[in-house]
Amino acid sequence: MDKSILLEVLKSVKYPGFTRDIVSFGLVQNVVLSARTVAIHLSLTTADPNVPVLLKAEIERVLLATGEFDSVVVEVALQQPKKQPPSAPNAGTNRIPGVRHVVAVASGKGGVGKSTFAVNLACAIEQILAGSGRPERVGILDCDIYGPSIPLMLGVDQRPVVEAEKIIPEANFGVRIMSMGLLIDEETPVVWRGPMISNAINQFIHQVNWGELDVLVVDLPPGTGDAHLSLAQNIALDGAIIVTTPQPAAFTVARRGALMFGKVNVPLLGVVENMSYLEDAKGKRQYLFGQGGGIRTAKDLHVDLLGEIPLDQNIREGGDTGVPIVVGQPECKSAQAIFAIAGKILDKLSRS
């Protein structure tokens, strides 16, 4: 077995508590092969004494199971993490009552169709789960305080009610919705500083009765800022999805924004390339925004490219009319691309 194949085998070893593997995390420092013996050198930074033990046992198990080795040696260089000041960001450990998985949708910059994708993703997941006998088990949280667009895209404009000091989210197409856009008038601008943004996010997390959900999709504003840190610090995120378009102006910023999740210990589920191409009636594709930005971003981040969504006027029209394309035209190519991405995400969540 050569080194490249061995590293592929080691990708089945997940870091305890995360969906990412030890190879993509960069923990494997060296591999030494000698006849039917292999030595794996890891470098870990953790204060949990159980982590090295668990990783050593799992590495030995998967490598011996290949039948290629009689002996597996795992050496761990362990470093204690530096103590963080009280204000330093750390991944949240709180779970939202009744919510099984929380997934953030983010982008480095605006204009890449992130919110439109988040809405269609939530609706696609709801339809998949409804088909398996679990209807109305999906929610979407609009964390774009300054420019909330989720209510428009889902055709909801009613103000939510409050029961027992908890906000009851509105719903449409089987998806429960919470957004600042449901709490303020259309003509009222939100002129808030950072602490007020953080307080609003905390209220959406802790003062909304989401009920029983399998998946809560969180639409984050572009870039990295108060909303992102507030979310990551206050609840346990099961992963983040990065949305980009093919051109360098988008994917270079998306890659930089994605690195923020690593700093707060949130695993990346993968990259979605939006507006990948325009397909005419004869099936000929035009790459209006260039080509390959999504796969390049995924490779740089050591994650999967979850899918490519074509540029489609029907997607835009669905957002404007409040009927997402996966609901209004589920058989079209664009909708099918989103359903495929939703299926991959559900599969990743089931294995986390």
Side-chain angles (χ1 to χ4, degrees):
M1 179 181 292
D2 61 31
K3 184 176 178 180
S4 62
I5 296 176
L6 188 143
L7 289 174
E8 287 299 316
V9 174
L10 288 177
K11 286 182 179 180
S12 66
V13 179
K14 308 297 183 184
Y15 191 91
F18 290 81
T19 58
R20 284 185 66 181
D21 61 88
I22 60 173
V23 177
S24 65
F25 261 133
L27 304 181
V28 181
Q29 298 300 301
N30 195 20
V31 174
V32 179
L33 294 163
S34 177
R36 292 183 61 83
T37 298
V38 59
I40 308 296
H41 300 268
L42 301 182
S43 177
L44 300 180
T45 300
T46 179
D48 187 347
N50 294 317
V51 170
V53 177
L54 292 171
L55 287 179
K56 183 175 183 296
E58 183 64 7
I59 290 171
E60 291 174 347
R61 186 189 69 79
V62 298
L63 291 181
L64 290 174
T66 65
E68 297 285 332
F69 306 107
D70 296 326
S71 175
V72 176
V73 178
V74 181
E75 297 181 356
V76 180
L78 188 60
Q79 301 178 29
Q80 292 294 319
K82 296 179 180 179
K83 291 186 177 180
Q84 299 285 348
S87 60
N90 293 295
T93 56
N94 296 324
R95 307 298 304 191
I96 301 176
V99 178
R100 186 176 179 186
H101 296 294
V102 181
V103 175
V105 178
S107 66
K109 66 187 296 296
V112 300
K114 170 189 55 59
S115 294
T116 303
F117 168 73
V119 164
N120 278 280
L121 174 66
C123 290
I125 291 175
E126 196 285 326
Q127 291 186 53
I128 293 172
L129 293 179
S132 62
R134 297 177 70 83
E136 299 183 359
R137 302 280 298 194
V138 178
I140 185 165
L141 171 57
D142 185 358
C143 281
D144 194 344
I145 305 298
Y146 295 120
S149 57
I150 299 301
L152 170 68
M153 294 182 182
L154 281 167
V156 174
D157 56 10
Q158 302 95 337
R159 286 183 180 270
V161 299
V162 177
E163 294 181 2
E165 300 184 352
K166 291 276 189 176
I167 300 173
I168 307 300
E170 292 296 322
N172 202 12
F173 310 119
V175 176
R176 300 173 194 177
I177 308 152
M178 190 63 229
S179 169
M180 181 60 71
L182 298 175
L183 303 177
I184 59 173
D185 297 326
E186 290 185 3
E187 305 301 322
T188 302
V190 178
V191 187
W192 287 356
R193 294 186 182 274
M196 297 179 71
I197 298 294
S198 298
N199 288 337
I201 300 299
N202 288 335
Q203 287 185 322
F204 286 165
I205 294 169
H206 300 296
Q207 296 182 16
V208 173
N209 183 1
W210 288 102
E212 296 292 326
L213 296 181
D214 285 316
V215 181
L216 176 63
V217 176
V218 181
D219 180 38
L220 288 170
T224 56
D226 295 296
H228 304 70
L229 290 177
S230 294
L231 189 73
Q233 287 176 309
N234 282 280
I235 61 172
L237 291 172
D238 295 278
I241 303 161
I242 305 302
V243 180
T244 185
T245 46
Q247 72 269 39
F251 71 73
T252 54
V253 181
R255 184 173 58 232
R256 190 180 308 120
L259 296 176
M260 183 276 296
F261 290 103
K263 292 183 180 298
V264 291
N265 295 324
V266 175
L268 294 178
L269 297 176
V271 172
V272 171
E273 184 184 272
N274 199 20
M275 308 182 201
S276 296
Y277 55 85
L278 178 66
E279 188 170 282
D280 62 22
K282 296 181 179 179
K284 183 179 179 180
R285 295 181 177 182
Q286 300 179 56
Y287 296 92
L288 303 181
F289 298 110
Q291 194 172 359
I295 188 64
R296 180 173 174 180
T297 303
K299 286 182 177 179
D300 288 346
L301 295 173
H302 305 291
V303 297
D304 295 331
L305 176 65
L306 297 170
E308 298 175 339
I309 303 172
L311 183 64
D312 188 340
Q313 179 177 331
N314 294 316
I315 295 179
R316 191 271 303 166
E317 291 178 348
D320 290 345
T321 60
V323 183
I325 194 168
V326 297
V327 175
Q329 302 178 57
E331 300 301 324
C332 74
K333 287 185 177 180
S334 299
Q336 288 299 306
I338 297 170
F339 276 115
I341 294 169
K344 291 178 182 178
I345 292 169
L346 284 173
D347 181 62
K348 286 176 177 287
L349 292 176
S350 71
R351 293 185 277 115
S352 64

